[in-house]
Structures are given as C-alpha cells and as structure tokens.
C-alpha cells in the first residue's frame, strides 16, 4: 500500500535568521558533524554508545530542547492551518 500525503506542515520550521534558535541550530549542526565521525568510527559498540551519549548530552547543553520546542510550535501551527490532527495520514481517523 502506497500512501502519498502533503508534507507542508513539516516545512517552514527553520528558525528565522538572526534569532537565538538559529544560532542554536548552527552550533548544533556544526557539532553534530564533528560528533558523527567519532560515533561512526568508534572501534567498539560500547565506545559507539559512549560517543552517542556524549554527543546527545552536548547537543542538549547547546540548546537542543529550546530548538525542538521552537520547531514543534511552528509544526503544530502549520498542522492547525492545514486542518490536520495528525501529520501522517495513517493516523487520521
């Protein structure tokens, strides 16, 4: 079964240039690129998990929760504008 749906509610959730959230997103994206290399090249599964946990903690320190909250507000507003209860059509009643 193929489901096709309008994904407009996922768009337009990037922070406005010059905002605090835009600065947070830039710092997180830069850090994520560095951390991803360490995670992927970890010599053991344990070291990989350790690197992932450290990366998640650092992204939280950089403001990940604030960014996520900001983007979720925009997402919820977009859904409301489109008259959707759920973004994925399989969840619609």
């Amino acid at each position: 079964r193929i489901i096709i749906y309008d994904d407009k509610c996922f768009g337009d959730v990037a922070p406005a240039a010059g905002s605090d959230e835009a600065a947070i997103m830039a710092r997180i994206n830069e850090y994520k690129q560095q951390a991803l290399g360490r995670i992927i090249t970890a010599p053991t599964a344990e070291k990989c998990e350790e690197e992932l946990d450290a990366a998640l903690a650092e992204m939280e320190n950089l403001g990940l929760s604030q960014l996520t909250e900001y983007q979720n507000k925009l997402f919820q507003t977009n859904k409301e504008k489109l008259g959707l209860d759920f973004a994925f059509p399989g969840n619609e009643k």
Side-chain angles (χ1 to χ4, degrees):
R1 173 180 155 181
I2 297 174
I3 298 175
I4 298 173
Y5 63 98
D6 188 346
D7 66 350
K8 286 187 192 112
C9 56
F10 296 105
D12 196 28
V13 295
S19 67
D20 290 344
E21 288 81 10
I24 290 169
M25 184 177 222
R27 287 192 302 265
I28 287 173
N29 285 340
E30 183 179 332
Y31 175 77
K32 191 170 26 175
Q33 290 301 315
Q34 298 167 7
L36 190 57
R38 291 190 301 273
I39 294 166
I40 291 172
T41 60
T44 65
E46 293 79 19
K47 183 65 174 166
C48 179
E49 287 188 35
E50 182 181 308
E51 291 290 347
L52 176 60
D53 290 342
L56 292 172
E58 180 58 23
M59 288 189 290
E60 190 60 40
N61 289 337
L62 292 171
L64 182 61
S65 289
Q66 180 181 341
L67 177 62
T68 301
E69 183 178 327
Y70 174 86
Q71 290 181 308
N72 189 48
K73 283 180 186 176
L74 292 177
F75 172 72
Q76 297 302 328
T77 300
N78 290 346
K79 280 192 344 184
E80 190 175 308
K81 288 178 188 175
L82 293 167
L84 300 173
D85 290 326
F86 301 99
F88 180 68
N91 291 339
E92 287 293 328
K93 296 175 184 174

